[in-house]
Amino acid sequence: MRILVTGADGQLGRCLQDQLGQTDHAWIACNRDSMDITDAQAVNTKIGDFKPEVIINAAAYTAVDKAESDEKTAWAINADAVGYLATAANMIGARILHVSTDYVFDGSATSPYKESDPVCPLGVYGASKLAGEQAAATANHFCVVRTAWVFSEYGNNFLKTMLRLAASRPELSVVADQIGTPTYAGDLAAALIGMAEEEIPSGVYHFSGGRSCSWHQFADAIFGVAANELSTFTRPEVLPISTSEYPTPAKRPAYSVLDDSLLRSVLPNAAGDWVQALPYVIGRA
Ligand SMILES: NC(=O)c1ccc[n+]([C@@H]2O[C@H](COP(=O)([O-])OP(=O)(O)OC[C@H]3O[C@@H](n4cnc5c(N)ncnc54)[C@H](OP(=O)(O)O)[C@@H]3O)[C@@H](O)[C@H]2O)c1
């Protein structure tokens, strides 16, 4: 199978490359330099030349807070560019697997969000990603995969921030009233490759990493594993605080747990337990 990955330098892009490298697929992974997805001509040329059967869009504007003051860039990357990818996919009959976010929801639910639940993003990032979902759906064959709280050994993420802060602080305050589901980018990468291979029907799917928790609980779990895995690590005290005590430019959903039973029913072997992934990731972060 011929697979083209965008966003090669990001967390998901790096994990996809690690795993595609262990398959027999013919694949290329493009970073911003080799294919800027906001450049429609570059997208058409690269996709027209390589002729992938599947395009996995791992490129995105992911700076949730910065997006509030940089709306134009967020929309160009998260929405308009997805339309260019969908158009190019249609030109050669490729399928597109597009990654989206739990932040399309407003967090007012009290049980895990299903794919069909009403969306209502609270900020620019979520709104631009929602527009990207709609753009992806203009492809003849598309899957939108919403995921949440992505972490990995690569790039910038909550896990790496916590480990960095713990190196210099004996005590950390972490928000305890936002509930979501951490997702290891490697598990998401494996699921996306599985979706490419299995020709999953077009539609919206959720994929997340197992049990839900608060950011505070996630931090505590990270430090528990780090204390076991890293000989020089000193476990800090983690104090629970409320969202109002940690104001950010972008409003975040208080509850964004995703029900991913639909995808797991069509892809029963999909991995995805963030607790199990922690030792591996912390050993490499
Ligand atoms: N991170 C999370 O917590 C989270 C949560 C829910 C959903 N998601 C979704 O999951 C997907 C993967 O996220 P991630 O964490 O892997 O993101 P990431 O680490 O921020 O990587 C995104 C990549 O996209 C690239 N990119 C940005 N603009 C581009 C452009 N114009 N052309 C080509 N590449 C461009 C970036 O390139 P540069 O390195 O050059 O900037 C970066 O390498 C995204 O769709 C994101 O919205 C993420």
Side-chain angles (χ1 to χ4, degrees), residues 92-118:
I92 57 159
R95 285 184 286 140
I96 182 165
L97 305 183
H98 172 68
V99 182
S100 190
T101 174
D102 53 335
Y103 283 14
V104 297
F105 295 114
D106 67 8
S108 58
T110 51
S111 60
Y113 281 103
K114 290 190 181 303
E115 289 80 354
S116 54
D117 282 335

Side-chain angles (χ1 to χ4, degrees), residues 9-274:
D9 293 341
Q11 299 193 74
L12 176 58
R14 300 276 303 272
C15 288
L16 281 164
Q17 291 183 75
D18 289 347
Q19 294 183 30
L20 284 168
Q22 294 169 27
T23 69
D24 293 333
H25 297 306
W27 60 276
I28 57 169
C30 305
N31 63 13
R32 195 193 289 262
D33 293 336
S34 54
M35 186 178 76
D36 181 339
I37 63 167
T38 62
D39 179 344
Q41 187 56 49
V43 166
N44 285 342
T45 302
K46 183 65 85 174
I47 289 175
D49 284 351
F50 184 67
K51 295 194 174 43
E53 293 159 273
V54 177
I55 297 164
I56 303 179
N57 184 25
Y61 185 106
T62 56
V64 175
D65 287 318
K66 199 170 158 211
E68 294 299 310
S69 54
D70 193 13
E71 195 165 350
K72 208 171 146 203
T73 316
W75 275 77
I77 297 169
N78 289 344
D80 301 344
V82 184
Y84 306 151
L85 292 170
T87 301
N90 284 343
M91 274 181 347
I92 57 159
R95 285 184 286 140
I96 182 165
L97 305 183
H98 172 68
V99 182
S100 190
T101 174
D102 53 335
Y103 283 14
V104 297
F105 295 114
D106 67 8
S108 58
T110 51
S111 60
Y113 281 103
K114 290 190 181 303
E115 289 80 354
S116 54
D117 282 335
V119 287
C120 183
L122 297 176
V124 170
Y125 168 73
S128 65
K129 291 293 290 183
L130 177 59
E133 293 186 0
Q134 290 152 0
T138 64
N140 296 330
H141 304 280
F142 74 94
C143 289
V144 166
V145 183
R146 294 185 186 134
T147 191
W149 295 25
V150 177
F151 70 96
S152 72
E153 60 272 43
Y154 300 121
N156 298 315
N157 58 66
F158 180 81
L159 177 145
K160 292 181 78 173
T161 301
M162 287 298 113
L163 292 179
R164 180 169 40 80
L165 292 176
S168 59
R169 298 193 201 169
E171 194 178 276
L172 293 175
S173 298
V174 183
V175 169
D177 58 359
Q178 287 172 30
I179 308 296
T181 312
T183 305
Y184 173 42
D187 290 336
L188 174 60
L192 288 163
I193 294 169
M195 292 177 79
E197 291 166 342
E198 297 295 326
E199 301 203 13
I200 301 295
S202 286
V204 178
Y205 296 89
H206 289 171
F207 181 84
S208 57
R211 74 188 75 160
S212 58
C213 64
S214 67
W215 290 112
H216 174 267
Q217 289 168 323
F218 187 25
D220 209 41
I222 292 164
F223 294 144
V225 173
N228 279 336
E229 296 289 315
L230 309 172
S231 53
T232 55
F233 184 81
T234 306
R235 188 172 184 163
E237 193 174 347
V238 196
L239 305 175
I241 56 167
S242 65
T243 299
S244 59
E245 290 174 275
Y246 187 74
T248 53
K251 221 175 151 195
R252 287 160 168 78
Y255 179 92
S256 62
V257 179
L258 300 175
D259 177 344
D260 62 5
S261 54
L262 175 63
L263 182 52
R264 289 181 185 281
S265 71
V266 290
L267 212 62
N269 294 328
D273 181 335
W274 64 267

